[in-house]
Amino acid sequence: MEQKRSGFSGKLGFVLAAAGSAVGLGNIWRFPYLAAQYGGGVFLLCYIILAVTFGFALMVGEIALGRKTQLSAVSAFSTLNKKYSFLGYLAAIVPMIILPYYSVIGGWVTKYLAAFCTGNVAQAAQDGYFSNFIAQPGEATLFFAIFMGLTALIVLFGVEKGIEKVSKFMMPVLVVLSVGVAIYSVCLPGALEGAKYYIMPDFKNFSFTTVIAAMGQLFYSMSLAMGIMITYGSYMKKNVNIESATRQISLFDTGIAFFAGLMIVPAVFAFSGGDKSALGQGPGLMFVTLPKVFNSMPGGGIIGTVFFVLVLLAALTSSISLMETVVSIFIDKFKWNRKITCLLVFGGCVAVGLVSVLGYGPWAEVKIIGMQMLDFFDFISNSVIMPVVALLTCIFIGYVVKPATIIEEVEQDGAKFKSKKLFVVMIKYVSPVCILLILISSVLNAFGIIKI
Ligand code: PHE
C-alpha cells in the first residue's frame, strides 16, 4: 500500500524534532556516567572537540543524503549506488539493536517517575533501591512494556502529529529545569570539588579509552551512524538550511548533556563525601544519584516529579525516532501497512528487550565477553557497528557520491555552506582515519588482546 511521506512544517519543526531525537537518555543518563567514569573534564573536552568537527560533518552529510533522496536509510544508499545498499542495511540494524534496550532504560525512568508521583522520594533515594528494582524481572518488565507501548502508540499517529507536537512543547522546559537543578547540585556541600573534576580537564586522567568512549557517545547522542538523520532529512523541506539546523541541533544536544553532567557528577562527590570510587558506577549512576539530590532539596518531591516527566518525554521522543526509523524501513522496503508494521516491531522489541531485563536480574551470571546483556547490546551498537557505519558513510560521501553531491544539497535554495572546507577535510581524511584507529583498538580491547 502506497503511503504519502509526511513532512515537517518548517525549520523550527525540523530542528526541534531532530533535537528531540538527539536529546534523550543518551544525554541525561549515558553522558554523565561516562564523563564520571572516563576522567571528567578531559572527557568533556574530547567530546566537545569531536562534536564540532566530525559530529558536525557526519550530521550534515546524513541529513543531506536523506533530503536529496527523499528516502530512508536502506533505500537512500542503494538509490545513489547499488553496490552500497549493504550500508543501508547495516545502518538499519543499529536502531533495531538499540530500541529494545533503550526502552528498558526508559522503563527505569518510568518506574522512578511512578515512585516520585506516589511520594516515595525518600525510599527512592536509599542505597539499594535501584539494585533491588533491576534485580526483580517482574517489575522491570512491566515498566519496560509500558514505555515500549507508549512509543508504539505515538509512532502509530505519524510524524507530524506525534513527534513535532511533543518536541515543541517539551524541549525548552527541559533546558530550564536542567539548568536549575544543575545550579542546585553544584551548591551542595562538597559538590564544588566534583564540579571542578567535571569541568577542568586534568590530562593525568586522559587515556585512549576516553576518546573511544567519547566517540561512541557522540554517535549515540547525536543519533548518527544509524540512518536516523537520513530518515529525518528525507522529511525536511528544501528551503530549510541544513548547516544551521545541524549547528542548532548539536548545540541543544551538547548543552543538555553538559547540564545533565553538572546535575549528577558534582552530586556524586557531595553524597559520597568525595569518594572517587563512586564515579565508576556505570549505568546506574543517574538513578542512584538524582533521587538523593531531590530528596535533599526543599520541594524536591515536586521538582523531581517534573524532572522525571521531562526525562520520560525526552526518552520518548528519542525512542519514537528509533522506532519510526525501523518502521519506515519496513514500509519503504516491503510496502507493509503502518499499523501492522508497528505491531510487529513492538512485538519483536518486547521479546529482545526481555533479554536485557533478565540480564540484570535472574540471568546476571550470563555474560558475553565479560558484559551483561544490556551492556553488550550497548557495546555492539555503539562501539562496533556505529563506527563501521560511520566509517563507510565517510567513504561513501567522500569517494563514491563525492562531497560535491552533499554540498549541492546543502546549498539548495541559495543557502551558503559556510564550513564547506571543514566538511570536506573531515569527511575525506580526518574522520575515516580516526574512526578506523578507534574501532580496531576498541575491539581488540574488548577481547582482551590489548589493554588500553
Ligand atoms: N540520541 C538519543 C539520545 O541521546 C537516543 C538515540 C539513540 C536515539 C540512538 C536514536 C538512536 O538519547
Side-chain angles (χ1 to χ4, degrees), residues 232-267:
Y232 270 45
S234 75
Y235 294 126
M236 187 196 219
K237 291 236 163 65
K238 291 281 182 193
N239 62 2
V240 175
N241 185 321
I242 295 184
E243 186 180 22
S244 72
T246 300
R247 290 233 183 275
Q248 288 170 10
I249 298 163
S250 10
L251 192 71
F252 243 142
D253 190 59
T254 311
I256 300 237
F258 173 77
F259 285 109
L262 204 55
M263 288 192 285
I264 294 170
V265 182

Side-chain angles (χ1 to χ4, degrees), residues 301-318:
I302 295 171
I303 298 173
T305 308
V306 177
F307 178 81
F308 278 110
V309 169
L310 294 175
V311 176
L312 181 66
L313 287 174
L316 274 173
T317 51
S318 298

Side-chain angles (χ1 to χ4, degrees), residues 318-351:
S318 298
S319 61
I320 291 163
S321 81
L322 282 163
M323 187 156 172
E324 175 66 39
T325 304
V326 178
V327 167
S328 73
I329 285 167
F330 288 122
I331 293 180
D332 279 354
K333 199 72 207 159
F334 305 110
K335 311 273 176 264
W336 287 350
N337 159 303
R338 193 173 179 93
K339 265 199 199 109
I340 294 176
T341 316
C342 284
L343 209 67
L344 287 175
V345 171
F346 172 76
C349 287
V350 169

